[in-house]
Structures are given as structure tokens and as C-alpha cells.
Amino acid sequence: MTVVDLNQGLVDLVAVALVAALAPLVVAILPGPRIPQVVIFLVGGVLIGPHGLGVAETSNIQLLANIGLGFLFLLAGYELDPALLRQQPGKLAAGGWLISAVLAVLAAAGLTAAGYIKDYVPVGLALTTTALGTLLPILRDNDMLAGRFGQHVYAAGAAGELFPILIIAVFLTQRGHFVALASVALVGALAIALSAVPWLTRSSTVHRIIREGQDATGQTTLRWAVVLLFLLLAIASRFGLDVVLGALLAGIVLRAWTRRFNMDTEGLEHKFDAVGYGIFIPIFFISSGMSLDVKAISQDPLRLLIFFGLLLIVRGLPSLLVYRSALAARQRVEMTFITATTLPLLIALVEIGQRDGVMLPATAAALVGAGVLSVLVFPLVAVGLHRSAPLTLADVGIPAAESATGASAKPESDPVSEHSQEGQSPIA
């Protein structure tokens, strides 16, 4: 990199860091319900980017943005317990995603027949995604991840990320599908092998060094977790796969490590929040905003509104059907808006479509714009519904007659509080 490029890169980093630092202040100052910081990141990216004031270029921060994307999906993978996918929440989530996939095929076929889109595979797949990594801080801040509802949220978010990622890795690649499938299998096998590392290092000395260094200047757990992330990102990229797959697998492996090493998970999670949400993840979202072509959206706003509506119909509405016997009516409506929220994978799919040279610029901009709008609108609706009224006994699956019997037998027991205590951990 030349001196001129280095100087411009530093200027770009200053602009990006300023947007990231101002975002929480802007959120706190704005009247009304608090909007997610990610929206401020995206709007700030538009302002400083080439389609705005032209202060910064995405090319100079692309590596840091990719690391931010990696951290986003590492944290999503870390929150995902694979065992949950084998339980009832996972089965319902898989069923809901399959319904969304069928609806997406029909929607993409209709848009293609109407001449509205050309690259129907990325567009259709984008309609089936859920932004679990983006939703986690929003839902956590509003206490929406506890108990049975939290388990269904994690499972639905995992299905909305894991299944599209696997399809991207196998079908949206420039290599043959068999080679891509074999690459996914090899990377998955490597992840399984890495998850067994704690069994291979049973030395008490190794465990002692890790425990003693996790909160000291050595920061052993954080550093090895970063090594794991970068390793799987590099391997996924080497095999021609999307880095999102490597990041998600890194998070799952990291979760296995923390359990088998008996690490201080609370301390490690605080560190990842600081490094990920504090530094790298904002860079990814700001960079995404910098690449957003607002002019193309303004020339055809109807395209954005169509995609925005399809996100809710294709990905959200199946929740009303799938969870009819598992969740209360209001919770099913909340799930509708939660599952319809998408952005990071949508951005990745837009990049794939543009790389193939088939996706129209207006379609790419409208898809990203619809994702931004979903992050702005859908979580706020879900949070508003959650706050609108406290859950009743029926909402948590306790019939009124049963509660009355329980109250007479055990007057000191509160069914609702017992449920909330059971649900302190969102993952079984």
C-alpha cells in the first residue's frame, strides 16, 4: 500500500469510527421508541460513502468489514446450541423455513416472469433469511430471549441463517455443486475435529494456564477464540465458500470449547461484546451503508416496498401457522416480525448476484434497502407487542383450572415466576 493509500485509509477509518461513536448518542437523543443502532450505522455509512458526501471508500476498510461480518456470525453461532435443532423448537423452525422456501420460489418465479428481476436464485434465497446476529442485542436488551419463547427465537434464527448459508455454499458458487458439497463437508468435519481439541488437551497444566490467563494481560481465551475465527474464515475462503459459513462454525466450536474447558463464559461473552459490537461489527454495517445506492432506490421506490412486503409474507407469515400449538397468539405475531428481519446475509447474497453480473443494480439496492427497513421496523413492532401487555397464565401454557388447583395446593408458588426462573437460560 502506498503512502497516499495509507493516508486515505486512515481518513476512512476516522470517518467510520466517528459514525460508530456517534450512533449510541444519536439513538439516545432521538425522540420516540429507540431504534436499533444498526440503522444509524447504515445511515451514517450512506452519508460518508461514495453515494453521499464521498468522505470514505469501502475498498480501504473491506478487510475490517469482513472481520466484522465474521464476528457477527461467530456470536450468532456461539449463541446457537446444535442440540436445540434436534428438539421441538428446532423441528418447528425447520418446518417454518421450508414453508418460506416454497413461498420464496413462487415469489421469485412470479417476479422473474414479470421481468422484474433476473437473478432469481439469490433474490429468492434472500427472502428466506433471518438476521439472528442483528436481532440478538435488540431482543436481549428487551428481555425477549428467556424461557420457551427464547428457545423458539434462537431456533428460528438459526434456521434462517444456517440453511441459507449451506445453500449459498453449495449452489451459489463458481465451482461444481459436487465439489462445493464436498468442500462444505470437509469444512464441517474440520469444525467437528476442532471441537474435540479440549479432549486432546486434558493436561491440567494447559487448563490452569488458560484459566489464569483468561482475565490477565495474556487474554488467552479471547486470543485463541480469534485464532479459531480467523482460521475457519481463511479455510472457508480457501475452499471457495462464503466466509459466513466459517464464522458460524467458529461460533459453534467456540461454544463447545467453553463448555469442555469450564471457562468463565460470562467474562468471555463480555469481551466478545466489547471487541465485536464495540469495534468490528459497526465497521461491517457502516461499510454496508457506504455501498448502498440511494439514488437507485429513489428512482424506483416501489421495488423496495415490494421486497419489504415479501420479507414479511415469505419469511414472517409461516410463523403464524407453524407455532399455532407452541406459542400464544401474541407471541406468534412477535415471531412473525422477528423472523422477517434480515440484513447481513441479504447483503452477502446481493454481492453474489452482482458478482455474477446478472442482478440489476436497482434490484441490489432495493433488496438492501428492504433489509434496512426490516431492521428498522420489524423489531420495533415485535418489541412493542412484547411490552404492550404482560403474559397471562394461558400464554405460558398453564390452564386456568390447573393454576387454581396449584394455588390451593401450594399457595407460596407463583406459576408465572417459576416459568420465568426456568427460562433464565434461553438454550436448553
mmCIF file of all heavy atoms in Angstrom, residues 20-21 24 37-38 41 68 71-76 79 131-138 140 269-283 285:
data_model
loop_
_atom_site.group_PDB
_atom_site.id
_atom_site.type_symbol
_atom_site.label_atom_id
_atom_site.label_comp_id
_atom_site.label_asym_id
_atom_site.label_seq_id
_atom_site.Cartn_x
_atom_site.Cartn_y
_atom_site.Cartn_z
ATOM 1 N N ALA A 20 -19.505 5.286 14.192
ATOM 2 C CA ALA A 20 -19.748 4.276 15.223
ATOM 3 C C ALA A 20 -19.869 4.899 16.607
ATOM 4 O O ALA A 20 -20.710 4.488 17.417
ATOM 5 C CB ALA A 20 -18.627 3.234 15.201
ATOM 6 N N ALA A 21 -19.035 5.889 16.900
ATOM 7 C CA ALA A 21 -19.061 6.535 18.213
ATOM 8 C C ALA A 21 -20.303 7.403 18.399
ATOM 9 O O ALA A 21 -20.837 7.513 19.512
ATOM 10 C CB ALA A 21 -17.794 7.368 18.402
ATOM 11 N N PRO A 24 -24.631 5.578 19.274
ATOM 12 C CA PRO A 24 -25.413 5.473 20.519
ATOM 13 C C PRO A 24 -25.917 6.814 21.017
ATOM 14 O O PRO A 24 -26.994 6.882 21.629
ATOM 15 C CB PRO A 24 -24.422 4.837 21.508
ATOM 16 C CG PRO A 24 -23.080 5.085 20.928
ATOM 17 C CD PRO A 24 -23.243 5.114 19.456
ATOM 18 N N GLN A 37 -29.233 0.510 16.787
ATOM 19 C CA GLN A 37 -28.032 1.243 16.369
ATOM 20 C C GLN A 37 -27.621 0.889 14.955
ATOM 21 O O GLN A 37 -27.032 1.724 14.251
ATOM 22 C CB GLN A 37 -26.870 0.952 17.321
ATOM 23 C CG GLN A 37 -26.951 1.653 18.657
ATOM 24 C CD GLN A 37 -25.656 1.532 19.436
ATOM 25 O OE1 GLN A 37 -24.570 1.688 18.887
ATOM 26 N NE2 GLN A 37 -25.780 1.230 20.716
ATOM 27 N N VAL A 38 -27.929 -0.350 14.521
ATOM 28 C CA VAL A 38 -27.510 -0.765 13.187
ATOM 29 C C VAL A 38 -28.090 0.161 12.122
ATOM 30 O O VAL A 38 -27.452 0.409 11.085
ATOM 31 C CB VAL A 38 -27.920 -2.232 12.933
ATOM 32 C CG1 VAL A 38 -29.423 -2.399 12.992
ATOM 33 C CG2 VAL A 38 -27.417 -2.714 11.585
ATOM 34 N N PHE A 41 -25.874 3.088 11.949
ATOM 35 C CA PHE A 41 -24.650 2.705 11.239
ATOM 36 C C PHE A 41 -24.862 2.772 9.727
ATOM 37 O O PHE A 41 -24.016 3.309 8.987
ATOM 38 C CB PHE A 41 -24.236 1.273 11.621
ATOM 39 C CG PHE A 41 -23.822 1.099 13.049
ATOM 40 C CD1 PHE A 41 -23.974 -0.123 13.684
ATOM 41 C CD2 PHE A 41 -23.278 2.143 13.766
ATOM 42 C CE1 PHE A 41 -23.590 -0.299 14.992
ATOM 43 C CE2 PHE A 41 -22.883 1.983 15.087
ATOM 44 C CZ PHE A 41 -23.044 0.754 15.702
ATOM 45 N N GLY A 68 -15.673 -7.873 10.723
ATOM 46 C CA GLY A 68 -16.903 -7.535 11.438
ATOM 47 C C GLY A 68 -18.022 -8.498 11.113
ATOM 48 O O GLY A 68 -18.766 -8.936 12.001
ATOM 49 N N PHE A 71 -17.302 -11.658 12.997
ATOM 50 C CA PHE A 71 -17.658 -11.563 14.414
ATOM 51 C C PHE A 71 -19.169 -11.654 14.603
ATOM 52 O O PHE A 71 -19.649 -12.264 15.562
ATOM 53 C CB PHE A 71 -17.136 -10.254 15.010
ATOM 54 C CG PHE A 71 -15.821 -10.391 15.709
ATOM 55 C CD1 PHE A 71 -14.640 -10.022 15.086
ATOM 56 C CD2 PHE A 71 -15.750 -10.899 16.991
ATOM 57 C CE1 PHE A 71 -13.417 -10.163 15.723
ATOM 58 C CE2 PHE A 71 -14.541 -11.044 17.643
ATOM 59 C CZ PHE A 71 -13.364 -10.672 17.008
ATOM 60 N N LEU A 72 -19.915 -11.040 13.710
ATOM 61 C CA LEU A 72 -21.371 -11.057 13.822
ATOM 62 C C LEU A 72 -21.899 -12.489 13.794
ATOM 63 O O LEU A 72 -22.729 -12.887 14.628
ATOM 64 C CB LEU A 72 -21.983 -10.243 12.680
ATOM 65 C CG LEU A 72 -23.498 -10.038 12.723
ATOM 66 C CD1 LEU A 72 -23.891 -9.159 13.893
ATOM 67 C CD2 LEU A 72 -23.994 -9.426 11.419
ATOM 68 N N PHE A 73 -21.379 -13.292 12.864
ATOM 69 C CA PHE A 73 -21.869 -14.656 12.758
ATOM 70 C C PHE A 73 -21.184 -15.589 13.744
ATOM 71 O O PHE A 73 -21.748 -16.625 14.104
ATOM 72 C CB PHE A 73 -21.715 -15.156 11.321
ATOM 73 C CG PHE A 73 -22.815 -14.648 10.433
ATOM 74 C CD1 PHE A 73 -22.670 -13.479 9.714
ATOM 75 C CD2 PHE A 73 -24.008 -15.319 10.353
ATOM 76 C CE1 PHE A 73 -23.688 -12.994 8.923
ATOM 77 C CE2 PHE A 73 -25.048 -14.859 9.557
ATOM 78 C CZ PHE A 73 -24.885 -13.686 8.850
ATOM 79 N N LEU A 74 -19.980 -15.250 14.208
ATOM 80 C CA LEU A 74 -19.385 -16.024 15.289
ATOM 81 C C LEU A 74 -20.250 -15.924 16.545
ATOM 82 O O LEU A 74 -20.511 -16.926 17.215
ATOM 83 C CB LEU A 74 -17.966 -15.529 15.585
ATOM 84 C CG LEU A 74 -17.260 -16.240 16.753
ATOM 85 C CD1 LEU A 74 -15.811 -16.537 16.414
ATOM 86 C CD2 LEU A 74 -17.308 -15.401 18.031
ATOM 87 N N LEU A 75 -20.698 -14.719 16.873
ATOM 88 C CA LEU A 75 -21.548 -14.540 18.046
ATOM 89 C C LEU A 75 -22.883 -15.240 17.862
ATOM 90 O O LEU A 75 -23.444 -15.803 18.813
ATOM 91 C CB LEU A 75 -21.755 -13.046 18.314
ATOM 92 C CG LEU A 75 -20.490 -12.284 18.735
ATOM 93 C CD1 LEU A 75 -20.769 -10.797 18.851
ATOM 94 C CD2 LEU A 75 -19.960 -12.820 20.060
ATOM 95 N N ALA A 76 -23.418 -15.220 16.632
ATOM 96 C CA ALA A 76 -24.657 -15.947 16.371
ATOM 97 C C ALA A 76 -24.444 -17.451 16.533
ATOM 98 O O ALA A 76 -25.283 -18.145 17.120
ATOM 99 C CB ALA A 76 -25.161 -15.630 14.965
ATOM 100 N N GLU A 79 -24.173 -18.446 20.212
ATOM 101 C CA GLU A 79 -25.456 -18.493 20.915
ATOM 102 C C GLU A 79 -26.280 -19.719 20.512
ATOM 103 O O GLU A 79 -27.257 -20.056 21.182
ATOM 104 C CB GLU A 79 -26.273 -17.224 20.598
ATOM 105 C CG GLU A 79 -25.637 -15.933 21.084
ATOM 106 C CD GLU A 79 -25.783 -15.734 22.581
ATOM 107 O OE1 GLU A 79 -26.413 -16.590 23.238
ATOM 108 O OE2 GLU A 79 -25.264 -14.729 23.093
ATOM 109 N N ALA A 131 -32.051 -12.366 10.393
ATOM 110 C CA ALA A 131 -30.834 -11.731 10.916
ATOM 111 C C ALA A 131 -30.693 -12.001 12.407
ATOM 112 O O ALA A 131 -30.873 -11.117 13.241
ATOM 113 C CB ALA A 131 -30.864 -10.231 10.642
ATOM 114 N N LEU A 132 -30.376 -13.263 12.767
ATOM 115 C CA LEU A 132 -30.238 -13.602 14.185
ATOM 116 C C LEU A 132 -29.153 -12.764 14.852
ATOM 117 O O LEU A 132 -29.351 -12.244 15.953
ATOM 118 C CB LEU A 132 -29.917 -15.097 14.327
ATOM 119 C CG LEU A 132 -29.696 -15.597 15.755
ATOM 120 C CD1 LEU A 132 -30.940 -15.378 16.602
ATOM 121 C CD2 LEU A 132 -29.297 -17.073 15.761
ATOM 122 N N GLY A 133 -27.999 -12.620 14.180
ATOM 123 C CA GLY A 133 -26.920 -11.833 14.770
ATOM 124 C C GLY A 133 -27.311 -10.387 15.018
ATOM 125 O O GLY A 133 -26.916 -9.782 16.017
ATOM 126 N N THR A 134 -28.097 -9.815 14.118
ATOM 127 C CA THR A 134 -28.558 -8.436 14.276
ATOM 128 C C THR A 134 -29.621 -8.333 15.353
ATOM 129 O O THR A 134 -29.687 -7.351 16.109
ATOM 130 C CB THR A 134 -29.120 -7.912 12.946
ATOM 131 O OG1 THR A 134 -28.133 -8.078 11.920
ATOM 132 C CG2 THR A 134 -29.496 -6.439 13.053
ATOM 133 N N LEU A 135 -30.475 -9.355 15.452
ATOM 134 C CA LEU A 135 -31.586 -9.321 16.398
ATOM 135 C C LEU A 135 -31.154 -9.537 17.842
ATOM 136 O O LEU A 135 -31.794 -9.019 18.767
ATOM 137 C CB LEU A 135 -32.616 -10.395 16.019
ATOM 138 C CG LEU A 135 -33.526 -10.084 14.834
ATOM 139 C CD1 LEU A 135 -34.202 -11.361 14.352
ATOM 140 C CD2 LEU A 135 -34.574 -9.051 15.234
ATOM 141 N N LEU A 136 -30.096 -10.322 18.058
ATOM 142 C CA LEU A 136 -29.734 -10.716 19.418
ATOM 143 C C LEU A 136 -29.604 -9.535 20.381
ATOM 144 O O LEU A 136 -30.200 -9.555 21.461
ATOM 145 C CB LEU A 136 -28.453 -11.547 19.401
ATOM 146 C CG LEU A 136 -28.598 -12.988 18.906
ATOM 147 C CD1 LEU A 136 -27.261 -13.698 18.923
ATOM 148 C CD2 LEU A 136 -29.613 -13.753 19.731
ATOM 149 N N PRO A 137 -28.804 -8.498 20.046
ATOM 150 C CA PRO A 137 -28.696 -7.392 21.015
ATOM 151 C C PRO A 137 -30.014 -6.671 21.239
ATOM 152 O O PRO A 137 -30.290 -6.210 22.352
ATOM 153 C CB PRO A 137 -27.644 -6.463 20.386
ATOM 154 C CG PRO A 137 -27.606 -6.824 18.944
ATOM 155 C CD PRO A 137 -27.944 -8.281 18.877
ATOM 156 N N ILE A 138 -30.847 -6.563 20.204
ATOM 157 C CA ILE A 138 -32.139 -5.883 20.348
ATOM 158 C C ILE A 138 -33.053 -6.668 21.276
ATOM 159 O O ILE A 138 -33.649 -6.119 22.208
ATOM 160 C CB ILE A 138 -32.798 -5.691 18.974
ATOM 161 C CG1 ILE A 138 -31.901 -4.894 18.027
ATOM 162 C CG2 ILE A 138 -34.156 -5.013 19.116
ATOM 163 C CD1 ILE A 138 -32.394 -4.849 16.591
ATOM 164 N N ARG A 140 -32.176 -9.080 23.380
ATOM 165 C CA ARG A 140 -31.589 -9.222 24.714
ATOM 166 C C ARG A 140 -31.846 -7.984 25.555
ATOM 167 O O ARG A 140 -32.154 -8.085 26.754
ATOM 168 C CB ARG A 140 -30.086 -9.486 24.594
ATOM 169 C CG ARG A 140 -29.418 -9.844 25.917
ATOM 170 C CD ARG A 140 -27.918 -9.985 25.756
ATOM 171 N NE ARG A 140 -27.582 -11.111 24.900
ATOM 172 C CZ ARG A 140 -26.877 -11.008 23.794
ATOM 173 N NH1 ARG A 140 -26.449 -9.838 23.370
ATOM 174 N NH2 ARG A 140 -26.587 -12.077 23.085
ATOM 175 N N GLU A 269 -17.982 -13.674 27.159
ATOM 176 C CA GLU A 269 -19.045 -13.025 26.390
ATOM 177 C C GLU A 269 -18.938 -11.510 26.471
ATOM 178 O O GLU A 269 -19.173 -10.808 25.478
ATOM 179 C CB GLU A 269 -20.406 -13.502 26.900
ATOM 180 C CG GLU A 269 -20.706 -14.950 26.514
ATOM 181 C CD GLU A 269 -21.844 -15.539 27.331
ATOM 182 O OE1 GLU A 269 -22.482 -14.767 28.084
ATOM 183 O OE2 GLU A 269 -22.077 -16.750 27.230
ATOM 184 N N HIS A 270 -18.574 -10.992 27.631
ATOM 185 C CA HIS A 270 -18.382 -9.544 27.764
ATOM 186 C C HIS A 270 -17.240 -9.066 26.857
ATOM 187 O O HIS A 270 -17.324 -7.992 26.249
ATOM 188 C CB HIS A 270 -18.087 -9.173 29.213
ATOM 189 C CG HIS A 270 -19.286 -9.240 30.113
ATOM 190 N ND1 HIS A 270 -20.526 -8.775 29.734
ATOM 191 C CD2 HIS A 270 -19.439 -9.720 31.381
ATOM 192 C CE1 HIS A 270 -21.393 -8.954 30.720
ATOM 193 N NE2 HIS A 270 -20.759 -9.536 31.726
ATOM 194 N N LYS A 271 -16.189 -9.870 26.771
ATOM 195 C CA LYS A 271 -15.053 -9.490 25.920
ATOM 196 C C LYS A 271 -15.453 -9.496 24.450
ATOM 197 O O LYS A 271 -15.060 -8.595 23.686
ATOM 198 C CB LYS A 271 -13.887 -10.456 26.163
ATOM 199 C CG LYS A 271 -13.282 -10.352 27.555
ATOM 200 C CD LYS A 271 -12.285 -11.474 27.799
ATOM 201 C CE LYS A 271 -11.823 -11.482 29.240
ATOM 202 N NZ LYS A 271 -10.930 -12.632 29.526
ATOM 203 N N PHE A 272 -16.218 -10.507 24.040
ATOM 204 C CA PHE A 272 -16.649 -10.550 22.649
ATOM 205 C C PHE A 272 -17.610 -9.417 22.327
ATOM 206 O O PHE A 272 -17.585 -8.874 21.224
ATOM 207 C CB PHE A 272 -17.294 -11.898 22.331
ATOM 208 C CG PHE A 272 -16.311 -12.917 21.842
ATOM 209 C CD1 PHE A 272 -16.021 -14.039 22.601
ATOM 210 C CD2 PHE A 272 -15.666 -12.744 20.642
ATOM 211 C CE1 PHE A 272 -15.102 -14.966 22.149
ATOM 212 C CE2 PHE A 272 -14.749 -13.659 20.173
ATOM 213 C CZ PHE A 272 -14.469 -14.785 20.937
ATOM 214 N N ASP A 273 -18.449 -9.075 23.285
ATOM 215 C CA ASP A 273 -19.326 -7.917 23.077
ATOM 216 C C ASP A 273 -18.490 -6.662 22.873
ATOM 217 O O ASP A 273 -18.789 -5.831 22.005
ATOM 218 C CB ASP A 273 -20.260 -7.737 24.280
ATOM 219 C CG ASP A 273 -21.395 -8.740 24.281
ATOM 220 O OD1 ASP A 273 -21.613 -9.376 23.234
ATOM 221 O OD2 ASP A 273 -22.054 -8.903 25.322
ATOM 222 N N ALA A 274 -17.424 -6.528 23.684
ATOM 223 C CA ALA A 274 -16.585 -5.336 23.585
ATOM 224 C C ALA A 274 -15.846 -5.286 22.253
ATOM 225 O O ALA A 274 -15.823 -4.251 21.574
ATOM 226 C CB ALA A 274 -15.596 -5.311 24.749
ATOM 227 N N VAL A 275 -15.230 -6.418 21.866
ATOM 228 C CA VAL A 275 -14.448 -6.445 20.626
ATOM 229 C C VAL A 275 -15.353 -6.446 19.400
ATOM 230 O O VAL A 275 -15.122 -5.709 18.436
ATOM 231 C CB VAL A 275 -13.512 -7.669 20.605
ATOM 232 C CG1 VAL A 275 -12.765 -7.755 19.278
ATOM 233 C CG2 VAL A 275 -12.527 -7.600 21.754
ATOM 234 N N GLY A 276 -16.392 -7.292 19.435
ATOM 235 C CA GLY A 276 -17.277 -7.418 18.279
ATOM 236 C C GLY A 276 -18.169 -6.207 18.102
ATOM 237 O O GLY A 276 -18.038 -5.450 17.129
ATOM 238 N N TYR A 277 -19.085 -5.982 19.048
ATOM 239 C CA TYR A 277 -20.020 -4.865 18.934
ATOM 240 C C TYR A 277 -19.344 -3.513 19.142
ATOM 241 O O TYR A 277 -19.840 -2.489 18.674
ATOM 242 C CB TYR A 277 -21.159 -5.031 19.948
ATOM 243 C CG TYR A 277 -22.058 -6.196 19.653
ATOM 244 C CD1 TYR A 277 -22.146 -7.275 20.535
ATOM 245 C CD2 TYR A 277 -22.817 -6.245 18.491
ATOM 246 C CE1 TYR A 277 -22.960 -8.358 20.262
ATOM 247 C CE2 TYR A 277 -23.635 -7.327 18.207
ATOM 248 C CZ TYR A 277 -23.703 -8.386 19.100
ATOM 249 O OH TYR A 277 -24.514 -9.452 18.822
ATOM 250 N N GLY A 278 -18.210 -3.526 19.836
ATOM 251 C CA GLY A 278 -17.529 -2.254 20.088
ATOM 252 C C GLY A 278 -16.680 -1.773 18.925
ATOM 253 O O GLY A 278 -16.528 -0.566 18.729
ATOM 254 N N ILE A 279 -16.126 -2.714 18.142
ATOM 255 C CA ILE A 279 -15.171 -2.312 17.096
ATOM 256 C C ILE A 279 -15.575 -2.819 15.714
ATOM 257 O O ILE A 279 -15.913 -2.041 14.824
ATOM 258 C CB ILE A 279 -13.747 -2.815 17.443
ATOM 259 C CG1 ILE A 279 -13.301 -2.263 18.803
ATOM 260 C CG2 ILE A 279 -12.758 -2.396 16.350
ATOM 261 C CD1 ILE A 279 -11.974 -2.823 19.277
ATOM 262 N N PHE A 280 -15.548 -4.130 15.525
ATOM 263 C CA PHE A 280 -15.594 -4.675 14.171
ATOM 264 C C PHE A 280 -16.994 -4.721 13.557
ATOM 265 O O PHE A 280 -17.156 -4.436 12.369
ATOM 266 C CB PHE A 280 -14.964 -6.069 14.151
ATOM 267 C CG PHE A 280 -13.479 -6.062 14.395
ATOM 268 C CD1 PHE A 280 -12.957 -6.501 15.593
ATOM 269 C CD2 PHE A 280 -12.614 -5.586 13.420
ATOM 270 C CE1 PHE A 280 -11.591 -6.481 15.823
ATOM 271 C CE2 PHE A 280 -11.248 -5.565 13.638
ATOM 272 C CZ PHE A 280 -10.734 -6.012 14.848
ATOM 273 N N ILE A 281 -17.997 -5.118 14.325
ATOM 274 C CA ILE A 281 -19.345 -5.243 13.762
ATOM 275 C C ILE A 281 -19.880 -3.897 13.259
ATOM 276 O O ILE A 281 -20.469 -3.837 12.174
ATOM 277 C CB ILE A 281 -20.301 -5.897 14.781
ATOM 278 C CG1 ILE A 281 -19.877 -7.356 15.009
ATOM 279 C CG2 ILE A 281 -21.743 -5.837 14.308
ATOM 280 C CD1 ILE A 281 -20.657 -8.075 16.091
ATOM 281 N N PRO A 282 -19.689 -2.787 14.001
ATOM 282 C CA PRO A 282 -20.110 -1.494 13.435
ATOM 283 C C PRO A 282 -19.436 -1.176 12.105
ATOM 284 O O PRO A 282 -20.069 -0.593 11.219
ATOM 285 C CB PRO A 282 -19.701 -0.489 14.521
ATOM 286 C CG PRO A 282 -19.730 -1.269 15.784
ATOM 287 C CD PRO A 282 -19.248 -2.642 15.408
ATOM 288 N N ILE A 283 -18.165 -1.568 11.940
ATOM 289 C CA ILE A 283 -17.474 -1.302 10.678
ATOM 290 C C ILE A 283 -18.162 -2.031 9.534
ATOM 291 O O ILE A 283 -18.314 -1.484 8.430
ATOM 292 C CB ILE A 283 -15.994 -1.720 10.779
ATOM 293 C CG1 ILE A 283 -15.261 -0.843 11.803
ATOM 294 C CG2 ILE A 283 -15.300 -1.618 9.420
ATOM 295 C CD1 ILE A 283 -13.811 -1.233 12.023
ATOM 296 N N PHE A 285 -21.397 -2.886 9.275
ATOM 297 C CA PHE A 285 -22.666 -2.247 8.930
ATOM 298 C C PHE A 285 -22.458 -0.877 8.282
ATOM 299 O O PHE A 285 -23.178 -0.509 7.351
ATOM 300 C CB PHE A 285 -23.552 -2.126 10.167
ATOM 301 C CG PHE A 285 -24.206 -3.414 10.572
ATOM 302 C CD1 PHE A 285 -23.899 -4.029 11.770
ATOM 303 C CD2 PHE A 285 -25.115 -4.026 9.730
ATOM 304 C CE1 PHE A 285 -24.499 -5.221 12.141
ATOM 305 C CE2 PHE A 285 -25.727 -5.224 10.082
ATOM 306 C CZ PHE A 285 -25.412 -5.819 11.292
#
